[in-house]
Amino acid sequence: MTTDTTAQGTAPDATAPGTTVLDARGVTMRFGGLTAVRGVDLTVGSGEIVGLIGPNGAGKTTFFNCLTGLYVPTEGEVRYKGAVLPPKSFKVTAAGIARTFQNIRLFANMTVLENVLVGRHTRTKEGFWSAVLRGPGFHKAEAASRTRAMELLDFVGLADKADHLARNLPYGEQRKLEIARALASEPGLLLLDEPTAGMNPQETRATEELVFAIRDMGIAILVIEHDMRFIFNLCDRVAVLVQGEKLIEGDSATVQGDERVIAAYLGEPFEGDPGAEEAAEVAQAEAHAAGTRAETATTKDTGTATDTATDTATGSTGATGDDATPGKENHR
């Protein structure tokens, strides 16, 4: 079934166009002696799609975790609509930031509808006692949540599978369900971590259309992806992380044409490469070791040649004693 990408109005937490939704400043994340993310600045505006790319191990998912409260940055701060985000993931979700994960994290034994209803918990005002007593307010809120959840399932093309177990969905539809669950929290910013990983070209194209439709609802989007065709077709701006540092940020043409980006993906060193100093030290050490080996070999070869020349000059080439003396036969 194809995705219905008709935008259904404006998202409740949508912001006026041109407004900065996410403002990450100097975000650094250290794990002991390892610096996974170093001084990264990034902004995302309302109604904008920003891509985050980089080689494996560049720190992209770690940066996402810093934005969503799973990690508390060692240094720097993250602001959402001007307010510093609290260091708790559920509070970040309540503030208006939702995300999907690189590895699908659905509730496999719950239905498709129930998975989306889980995403509504931050927008449900009924408390513990209301759920226990199940008064009129509880039933009204539950009905409203079910209605909104079905709207989102229709939006991603899964309304006819609302009663299916999540584990029985094909891979591509599980990805859609995860996006629907994230949208259920009514975010102003949606973070997508490799949304097309493992998809075929048709599924990738459907995901691209879905992301555009979400953007048209007024939701800002930050996406990590390794499919370069997908990311450059989709994004207004692209930022590149290399070894935890932001290398460049710009439009698709600027990033694609940057020699440093090409070198980073091909594994070639470039001037200003984070870690280039360490690589230079290693190269210098290897060159010194190679030079020492060459010098030793040269000395050894020179010594051998000298010995050979000496032996030849003294007649030590197989003859012994006076038999090797020129003209001796004339004295016999």
Side-chain angles (χ1 to χ4, degrees), residues 36 54-60 243-244:
N56 287 326
K60 302 183 296 298
Q243 297 184 10

Side-chain angles (χ1 to χ4, degrees), residues 187-228:
L189 172 65
L190 177 62
L191 277 60
L192 302 175
D193 195 348
E194 297 191 29
T196 67
M199 289 187 177
N200 60 41
Q202 291 75 24
E203 291 171 332
T204 298
R205 178 58 184 168
T207 301
E208 183 179 318
E209 294 175 354
L210 177 59
V211 174
F212 279 133
I214 294 170
R215 188 271 310 274
D216 291 342
M217 295 168 63
I219 298 175
I221 299 169
L222 178 60
V223 55
I224 293 174
E225 189 52 72
H226 285 292
D227 185 335
M228 294 298 100

Side-chain angles (χ1 to χ4, degrees), residues 132-172:
V132 171
L133 299 175
R134 292 182 173 271
F138 173 81
H139 289 292
K140 182 178 180 180
E142 188 177 52
S145 291
R146 290 180 65 89
T147 298
R148 180 55 181 161
M150 287 303 301
E151 289 176 355
L152 291 171
L153 288 177
D154 184 57
F155 178 65
V156 300
L158 295 176
D160 60 333
K161 297 186 177 181
D163 296 327
H164 293 207
L165 291 179
R167 67 184 180 191
N168 294 334
L169 292 180
Y171 177 81

Side-chain angles (χ1 to χ4, degrees), residues 36-80:
V37 177
R38 186 192 303 273
V40 175
D41 298 330
L42 187 69
T43 61
V44 181
S46 59
E48 186 179 30
I49 303 175
V50 177
L52 187 63
I53 66 173
N56 287 326
K60 302 183 296 298
T61 297
T62 300
F63 182 65
F64 258 36
N65 291 340
C66 291
L67 300 182
T68 54
L70 291 178
Y71 295 156
V72 178
T74 308
E75 298 175 11
E77 64 178 16
V78 180
R79 292 177 176 269
Y80 175 72

Side-chain angles (χ1 to χ4, degrees), residues 231-303:
I231 207 79
F232 289 132
N233 287 341
L234 186 74
C235 298
D236 301 302
R237 286 186 291 117
V238 178
V240 183
L241 286 188
V242 176
Q243 297 184 10
E245 297 183 35
K246 188 172 76 171
L247 179 63
I248 187 176
E249 179 181 346
D251 58 29
S252 297
T254 300
V255 172
Q256 289 183 78
D258 193 282
E259 294 181 356
R260 297 171 299 169
V261 176
I262 297 171
Y265 272 93
L266 294 177
E268 300 175 356
F270 54 90
E271 185 178 357
D273 179 4
E277 183 176 346
E278 292 84 349
E281 291 176 356
V282 172
Q284 184 177 3
E286 291 179 348
H288 177 71
T292 302
R293 289 194 297 271
E295 182 179 352
T296 302
T298 300
T299 302
K300 183 178 179 181
D301 292 343
T302 302

